[in-house]
C-alpha cells in the first residue's frame, strides 16, 4: 500500500531499454505467460520427481500388472464424506484378460510425507521421504500400472528427466555450433562460406529421420570420441541421442545466422571497432553475435519441441533410449499395439498428455517471445 | 526456366553421390550383415554362408560395393537386388513409392482444401469467433506430434471400430468382387493416415493464408476495387485472394520435406506399406541395396519438391525471374 503510485500507462517508451520493453511486451502476453508458468511447473515437478513419485519407477509388481488408474476419493461407496482423501484397492476379476474390479471393502487413506524407497534428490541429498503414499497392501497408481506392474505416474516423472532435459541440452549444443558456423561463414566468406554452406545444404537436403537413424547405428558400434562401442551405458546413449539430434539440427540456424552476419558486418559500428584495432574474435563474439541474439532466443524456444519429439521418434522406432531407462518416447513405444491402446489406454494417454502439454507450452512461449523481441513480425 | 531446372538437377548429382557414399559407409560399419542372423543356425554350414556372401558381393570392401552399385545405377538404371525379397529393388520400391505418394497426395489435398477456406474465414472475420476458432485449431495442429496423433487415431479406430487400426488393405482385399469395392477398401484405410499426416500442414497453411489475406486486404487495389463499386465478396475472392495465394506456394517446398518425415512416422505407427516403413524394415534386416535406394529416393523426392515449388512460384508471379 505504501508503494508510490505510478501512472497506469506511459505515454512514451523513453528511458526503457529494448530488453525492458520486450520484457514488458512479454508479460502482457497472456498465452506466453501461461506457457512459461506451465513449463516452470513441469520442470519443477520433474526435477523433484523422486520425491513426488510414490514408487520406484523400476520396481515391478506382479500382483498388479496393467492395473487401471486409482482415483483419489473423498466419498466412499456408501456416500459418506471423509476429510482425508483415500483410494480403494482393485481386485483382479479375470487374471487372463487382466480385468480389474474396484474393491470397496477397505479404504486406504492417502498419507503425506511417508517413507518409501530411498533416492538422492538432485544426485546429492539422500532421502526416503515421499510426497504421498498409502499403507500396504493398498496401492496408489494415479496413472495405472504397466504390463509388469510398474507405476506409470512414477515412470512419467522419471521419463520426464530425459525427455525434458534432452530438449534443453540439444538446443544448446546445436545453437553453439550454428552460431559459430554461421558467424564463420558470414564473416570470413570465401572458402569458409563455400565449405560450410555446402555442408549445410547437404544436411538440409537429406530427410532428417533417415540421417538420424543411420548415424544412430554408426555410433552404436564404432564409437566416436570414445563414446559408444558394443557396450553402451545409459548415459552414453543419452549423449549419443543428444549429439545426433544437435548435429542434424544446427544447419537451419547456421544458415539464418550467416545471413544476419552478412548484413551486420557491413554496419558502421563493426567498421569502427575494426578501425580501433579490435581482434576478429572480439568483433564476432562481442559485437556481431549479440546482434543475432533475439533471433537465437526465438528460434531456440521454437526448436526445443523438435528435440523432445526427436527423442520420442527415435525411442518409438526402437533406436533411442532403451529399457531399463525410461523416457516419454519409450513409454509410447510400449503402448503401440492396437490391443494395448484399447485395453490399457492410460499407457498411451499418460506420457502422451505430458508430451503434448510440453510442446504446447513451448509453442505458446515461443510465439510470445517472437512478438515481444521482434515487434515487426507481429501478426496483423 | 529450363536453365534453372538443368542447374538444379546438375547440383543434385554430387549431393546424391555423397549421400549414397555415406549410406554405404554407415551400413557397412554397423555390426553384422544380411546373413548375420543365419550364422548361429546349426543347419547352415560356414562354407555355404561364405559362398552366399560372395554371391551377394558382401565379401568385397564397402567402397567397391558402393562403386559397383553406382556404376550399375548410372549405366543400366539397375538399383540392385533385394537380399530379402529376392526381387529387383526397383520393383519393390515402385509399389511402396506409389503408396507413399497416395498418402502424401491425399493429405496434401486434405490440408489445402480445408486450410484455404479456413484462412479466408479467419481473415475476413478477424478477431471474431471464427478467427479465434481457426487460430486455436491451427495452434493445436502445430503442437500435436505426429507420433502421438497417429497413436490417438489408432485408439479412436480401436475403440469405435469405425476405421481399420492400420494397414492399407483388409485381409480379404483380393477376394473383393469388383475394382470399385477394392478401391473403397483402400479409401477406407486411407482416411485416418490422411488426417493424421495432413493436420500439421493444415495448421501451417491456415495461419499463412490468414496473414497473407489480411495483408492484401489492406492493399490499395482492394480499396480501389471497393470504391468503384465491386461487391465485397468479389473484391475478396477475385482481387485479394489471388495475390494472397502467391506466398503459399513457397510453403509447398518446405511442407514437402515435413510431409516425408511425417509420413515416415505415420507409416510406421499405422502400418502403411510405404517408403518409410520399407526403409525401417530393410534397415533392420541389413538389406543393403534397398536401404541405399530408399534413402536416395527420399532425397530425390525432396529435391523434386523444392524444384516444383520454385517453378510454380516463377510461373505464378512474372516478377520472380529464374536467376
Amino acid at each position: 500500500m505504501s508503494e508510490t503510485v505510478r501512472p497506469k500507462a506511459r505515454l512514451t517508451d523513453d528511458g526503457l531499454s529494448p530488453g525492458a520493453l520486450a520484457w514488458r511486451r512479454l508479460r502482457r502476453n497472456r498465452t506466453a505467460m501461461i506457457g512459461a508458468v506451465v513449463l516452470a511447473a513441469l520442470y519443477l515437478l520433474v526435477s523433484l520427481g523422486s520425491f513426488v513419485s510414490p514408487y520406484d519407477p523400476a520396481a515391478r509388481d506382479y500382483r498388479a500388472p496393467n492395473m487401471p488408474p486409482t482415483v483419489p476419493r473423498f466419498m466412499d461407496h456408501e456416500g459418506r464424506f471423509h476429510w482425508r482423501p483415500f483410494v480403494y484397492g482393485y481386485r483382479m476379476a479375470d487374471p487372463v484378460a487382466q480385468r480389474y474390479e474396484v474393491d470397496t471393502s477397505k479404504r486406504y487413506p492417502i498419507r503425506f510425507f511417508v517413507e518409501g524407497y530411498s533416492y538422492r534428490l538432485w544426485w546429492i541429498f539422500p532421502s526416503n521421504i515421499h510426497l504421498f503414499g498409502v499403507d500396504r497392501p493398498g496401492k496408489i497408481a494415479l496413472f495405472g500400472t504397466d504390463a509388469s506392474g510398474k507405476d506409470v505416474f512414477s515412470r512419467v516423472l522419471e521419463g520426464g528427466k530425459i525427455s525434458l532435459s534432452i530438449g534443453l541440452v540439444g538446443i544448446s549444443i546445436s545453437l553453439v555450433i550454428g552460431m559459430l558456423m554461421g558467424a564463420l561463414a558470414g564473416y570470413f566468406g570465401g572458402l569458409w562460406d563455400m565449405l560450410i554452406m555446402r555442408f549445410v545444404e547437404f544436411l538440409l537436403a537429406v530427410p532428417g529421420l533417415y540421417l538420424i537413424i543411420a548415424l544412430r547405428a554408426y555410433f552404436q558400434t564404432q564409437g566416436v570420441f570414445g563414446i559408444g562401442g558394443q557396450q553402451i551405458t545409459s548415459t552414453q546413449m543419452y549423449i549419443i541421442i543428444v549429439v545426433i539430434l544437435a548435429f542434424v539440427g544446427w544447419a537451419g540456424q547456421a544458415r539464418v545466422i550467416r545471413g544476419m552476419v552478412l548484413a551486420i558486418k557491413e554496419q558502421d559500428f563493426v567498421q569502427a571497432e575494426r578501425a580501433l584495432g579490435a581482434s576478429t574474435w572480439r568483433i564476432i563474439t562481442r559485437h556481431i553475435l549479440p546482434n543475432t541474439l533475439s533471433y537465437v532466443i526465438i528460434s531456440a524456444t521454437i526448436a526445443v519441441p523438435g528435440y523432445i519429439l526427436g527423442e520420442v521418434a527415435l525411442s518409438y522406432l526402437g533406436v533411442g533410449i532403451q529399457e531399463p531407462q525410461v523416457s516419454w518416447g519409450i513409454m509410447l513405444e510400449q503402448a503401440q499395439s492396437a490391443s494395448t491402446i484399447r485395453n490399457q489406454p492410460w499407457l498411451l494417454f499418460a506420457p502422451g498428455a505430458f508430451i503434448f502439454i510440453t510442446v504446447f507450452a513451448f509453442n505458446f512461449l515461443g510465439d510470445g517471445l517472437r512478438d515481444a523481441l521482434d515487434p515487426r513480425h507481429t501478426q496483423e | 526456366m529450363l536453365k534453372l531446372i538443368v542447374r538444379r538437377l546438375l547440383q543434385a548429382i554430387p549431393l546424391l553421390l555423397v549421400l549414397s557414399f555415406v549410406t554405404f559407409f554407415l551400413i557397412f560399419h554397423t555390426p553384422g550383415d544380411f546373413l548375420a542372423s543365419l550364422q548361429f543356425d546349426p543347419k547352415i554350414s560356414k562354407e555355404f554362408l561364405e559362398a552366399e556372401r560372395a554371391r551377394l558381393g558382401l565379401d568385397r570392401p564397402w567402397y567397391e560395393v558402393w562403386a559397383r552399385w553406382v556404376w550399375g545405377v548410372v549405366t543400366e538404371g539397375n538399383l540392385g537386388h533385394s537380399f530379402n525379397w529376392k526381387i529387383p529393388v526397383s520393383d519393390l520400391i515402385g509399389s511402396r513409392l506409389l503408396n507413399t505418394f497416395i498418402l502424401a497426395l491425399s493429405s496434401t489435398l486434405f490440408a489445402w482444401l480445408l486450410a484455404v477456406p479456413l484462412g479466408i474465414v479467419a481473415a475476413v472475420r478477424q478477431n471474431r469467433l471464427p478467427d479465434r476458432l481457426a487460430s486455436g485449431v491451427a495452434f493445436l495442429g502445430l503442437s500435436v506430434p505426429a507420433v502421438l496423433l497417429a497413436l490417438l487415431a489408432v485408439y479412436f479406430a480401436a475403440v469405435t471400430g469405425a476405421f481399420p487400426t492400420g494397414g492399407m488393405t483388409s485381409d480379404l482385399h483380393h477376394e473383393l468382387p469388383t475394382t470399385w469395392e477394392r478401391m473403397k477398401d483402400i479409401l477406407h484405410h486411407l482416411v485416418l493416415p490422411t488426417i493424421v499426416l495432413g493436420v500439421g500442414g493444415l495448421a501451417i497453411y491456415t495461419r499463412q493464408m490468414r496473414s497473407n489475406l489480411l495483408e492484401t486486404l489492406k492493399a490499395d487495389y482492394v480499396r480501389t476495387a471497393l470504391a468503384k463499386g465491386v461487391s465485397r465478396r468479389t473484391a475478396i475472392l477475385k482481387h485479394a485472394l489471388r495475390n494472397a495465394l502467391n506466398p503459399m506456394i513457397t510453403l509447398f517446398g518446405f511442407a514437402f520435406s515435413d510431409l516425408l518425415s511425417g509420413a515416415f512416422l505415420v507409416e510406421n505407427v499405422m502400418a502403411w506399406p510405404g517408403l518409410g516403413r520399407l526403409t525401417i524394415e530393410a534397415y533392420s534386416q541389413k538389406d543393403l541395396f534397398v536401404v541405399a535406394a530408399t534413402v536416395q529416393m527420399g532425397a530425390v523426392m525432396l529435391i523434386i519438391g523444392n524444384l516444383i515449388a520454385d517453378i510454380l512460384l516463377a510461373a505464378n508471379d512474372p516478377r520472380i525471374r529464374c536467376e
Side-chain angles (χ1 to χ4, degrees):
Chain A
M1 293 305 129
S2 63
E3 263 180 59
T4 48
V5 181
R6 282 205 219 126
K8 276 211 169 145
R10 280 167 172 268
L11 289 178
T12 62
D13 291 335
D14 288 352
L16 282 177
S17 70
L21 280 175
W23 174 236
R24 198 167 70 177
R25 276 195 295 268
L26 184 65
R27 265 195 332 205
R28 287 210 187 124
N29 189 332
R30 207 190 318 147
T31 50
M33 290 321 281
I34 292 175
V37 169
V38 168
L39 283 180
L42 269 175
Y43 276 89
L44 186 71
L45 184 68
V46 165
S47 72
L48 293 174
S50 310
F51 168 66
V52 179
S53 58
Y55 300 103
D56 184 342
R60 292 149 195 264
D61 183 352
Y62 290 111
R63 290 173 304 130
N66 285 331
M67 194 175 82
T70 44
V71 193
R73 303 161 197 259
F74 287 99
M75 299 282 248
D76 63 22
H77 66 292
E78 286 161 351
R80 274 188 312 241
F81 181 82
H82 300 268
W83 282 108
R84 183 177 276 279
F86 63 92
V87 294
Y88 281 131
Y90 276 106
R91 186 176 342 125
M92 180 109 53
D94 180 354
V96 179
Q98 295 185 335
R99 210 161 46 75
Y100 289 84
E101 272 169 10
V102 177
D103 179 4
T104 52
S105 61
K106 186 162 165 34
R107 293 187 303 112
Y108 298 98
I110 297 176
R111 309 198 185 283
F112 294 94
F113 302 103
V114 293
E115 284 189 9
Y117 74 98
S118 308
Y119 61 93
R120 278 175 183 274
L121 194 62
W122 300 324
W123 296 284
I124 304 169
F125 308 109
S127 168
N128 61 355
I129 303 296
H130 295 267
L131 181 60
F132 64 91
V134 295
D135 296 335
R136 284 166 188 280
K139 193 172 175 71
I140 179 164
L142 292 179
F143 297 162
T145 67
D146 70 5
S148 51
K150 296 177 202 150
D151 177 32
V152 173
F153 178 70
S154 304
R155 281 170 69 76
V156 165
L157 294 185
E158 182 68 18
K161 286 180 187 165
I162 287 181
S163 293
L164 286 180
S165 66
I166 257 179
L168 297 187
V169 179
I171 193 66
S172 313
I173 298 175
S174 93
L175 272 182
V176 170
I177 305 177
M179 285 173 85
L180 208 65
M181 290 295 179
L184 280 178
Y187 192 81
F188 293 113
L191 186 65
W192 277 109
D193 193 22
M194 220 276 287
L195 284 178
I196 293 174
M197 283 304 115
R198 287 297 88 77
F199 191 51
V200 163
E201 276 164 24
F202 173 75
L203 285 180
L204 289 178
V206 180
L209 269 175
Y210 292 81
L211 190 62
I212 289 173
I213 287 165
L215 281 172
R216 165 65 182 74
Y218 183 66
F219 266 99
Q220 168 120 23
T221 45
Q222 295 303 305
V224 175
F225 312 129
I227 298 169
Q230 294 291 350
Q231 302 284 312
I232 304 185
T233 67
S234 49
T235 323
Q236 284 171 341
M237 177 60 83
Y238 179 86
I239 296 171
I240 288 171
I241 290 171
V242 170
V243 167
I244 289 174
L245 291 175
F247 177 76
V248 177
W250 64 272
Q253 277 140 2
R255 191 158 73 166
V256 179
I257 287 171
R258 168 184 172 270
M260 296 176 81
V261 170
L262 277 179
I264 295 167
K265 78 168 179 185
E266 299 303 331
Q267 288 188 12
D268 289 342
F269 67 90
V270 177
Q271 303 292 343
E273 186 74 3
R274 200 176 294 147
L276 286 169
S279 69
T280 310
W281 176 250
R282 188 184 157 85
I283 294 178
I284 290 181
T285 54
R286 303 297 291 272
H287 294 271
I288 291 185
L289 286 183
N291 274 294
T292 64
L293 211 59
S294 63
Y295 163 78
V296 166
I297 293 174
I298 296 165
S299 78
T301 318
I302 292 175
V304 168
Y307 289 85
I308 295 176
L309 297 181
E311 182 274 319
V312 169
L314 275 179
S315 301
Y316 183 85
L317 293 173
V319 292
I321 300 291
Q322 314 275 330
E323 282 280 347
Q325 276 225 300
V326 49
S327 75
W328 293 345
I330 202 157
M331 292 182 78
L332 279 191
E333 193 261 333
Q334 285 158 351
Q336 63 174 305
S337 80
S339 73
T340 308
I341 289 176
R342 178 168 48 211
N343 298 323
Q344 289 91 29
W346 56 88
L347 292 180
L348 163 65
F349 283 108
F354 272 77
I355 294 171
F356 176 69
I357 291 170
T358 310
V359 174
F360 212 67
F362 267 112
N363 283 349
F364 266 161
L365 183 61
D367 248 31
L369 275 176
R370 180 163 56 197
D371 289 347
L373 287 170
D374 189 4
R376 279 161 301 171
H377 191 280
T378 310
Q379 297 213 336
E380 82 252 345
Chain B
M1 178 74 76
L2 197 67
K3 243 171 95 182
L4 172 91
I5 298 176
V6 170
R7 210 189 52 199
R8 281 298 187 80
L9 292 182
L10 284 180
Q11 274 177 350
I13 292 173
L15 183 97
L16 291 177
L17 266 180
V18 172
L19 185 59
S20 67
F21 190 78
V22 172
T23 315
F24 273 77
F25 175 81
L26 289 174
I27 294 178
F28 267 87
H29 286 81
T30 50
D33 55 19
F34 176 66
L35 299 169
S37 57
L38 302 178
Q39 74 192 13
F40 298 112
D41 190 335
K43 289 199 290 278
I44 297 173
S45 69
K46 261 215 168 81
E47 293 74 35
F48 176 75
L49 272 183
E50 284 311 312
E52 270 299 279
R53 209 159 259 148
R55 189 179 66 81
L56 297 174
L58 289 176
D59 54 342
R60 322 294 307 173
W62 66 273
Y63 42 85
E64 198 185 318
V65 181
W66 170 73
R68 276 166 192 266
W69 186 74
V70 170
W71 186 248
V73 173
V74 174
T75 53
E76 306 165 30
N78 177 10
L79 289 171
H81 239 70
S82 161
F83 301 156
N84 184 45
W85 303 78
K86 300 182 175 55
I87 55 173
V89 174
S90 43
D91 294 356
L92 188 61
I93 284 194
S95 64
R96 296 301 191 103
L97 195 60
L98 182 70
N99 294 347
T100 294
F101 187 72
I102 291 173
L103 182 57
L105 186 73
S106 70
S107 60
T108 309
L109 277 179
F110 165 79
W112 278 81
L113 290 182
L114 265 177
V116 172
L118 266 181
I120 295 174
V121 170
V124 173
R125 303 245 182 283
Q126 192 193 349
N127 290 334
R128 271 183 276 170
L129 188 67
D131 182 25
R132 297 267 151 120
L133 271 179
S135 301
V137 170
F139 209 87
L140 209 70
L142 274 179
S143 298
V144 188
V147 181
L148 193 56
L149 198 60
L151 284 169
L152 287 180
V154 174
Y155 176 70
F156 173 77
V159 169
T160 64
F163 292 101
T165 53
M168 185 172 167
T169 53
S170 35
D171 297 339
L172 300 173
H173 180 71
H174 291 289
E175 287 163 31
L176 290 174
T178 60
T179 319
W180 170 237
E181 292 276 320
R182 283 197 289 273
M183 281 262 292
K184 254 185 16 199
D185 184 43
I186 291 179
L187 283 179
H188 193 216
H189 281 77
L190 190 59
V191 173
L192 284 181
T194 297
I195 295 173
V196 169
L197 189 55
V199 160
L202 172 67
I204 298 172
Y205 296 145
T206 307
R207 291 180 103 184
Q208 192 66 30
M209 188 68 220
R210 172 179 176 275
S211 62
N212 288 347
L213 194 59
L214 281 175
E215 196 95 332
T216 44
L217 281 177
K218 283 188 213 137
D220 288 338
Y221 56 82
V222 175
R223 199 176 334 149
T224 311
L226 287 172
K228 74 177 183 187
V230 173
S231 73
R232 193 168 147 74
R233 189 189 168 79
T234 321
I236 291 171
L237 290 182
K238 285 236 163 112
H239 295 257
L241 182 61
R242 286 200 172 177
N243 284 296
L245 271 175
N246 213 5
M248 300 282 290
I249 294 166
T250 26
L251 272 181
F252 181 80
F254 296 112
F256 203 77
S257 73
D258 284 346
L259 211 58
L260 267 181
S261 305
F264 197 103
L265 288 169
V266 173
E267 280 172 10
N268 276 298
V269 179
M270 308 189 82
W272 186 264
L275 201 61
R277 203 173 155 73
L278 180 65
T279 310
I280 284 282
E281 283 168 7
Y283 175 80
S284 57
Q285 291 160 339
K286 303 266 163 199
D287 201 343
L288 177 64
F289 297 129
V290 181
V291 177
T294 48
V295 171
Q296 291 282 303
M297 213 45 81
V300 166
M301 280 167 75
L302 205 60
I303 292 167
I304 292 178
N306 287 337
L307 185 62
I308 291 176
D310 282 354
I311 292 172
L312 280 178
L313 198 65
N316 193 40
D317 188 345
R319 283 169 301 182
I320 299 170
R321 274 169 289 143
C322 315
E323 298 165 52

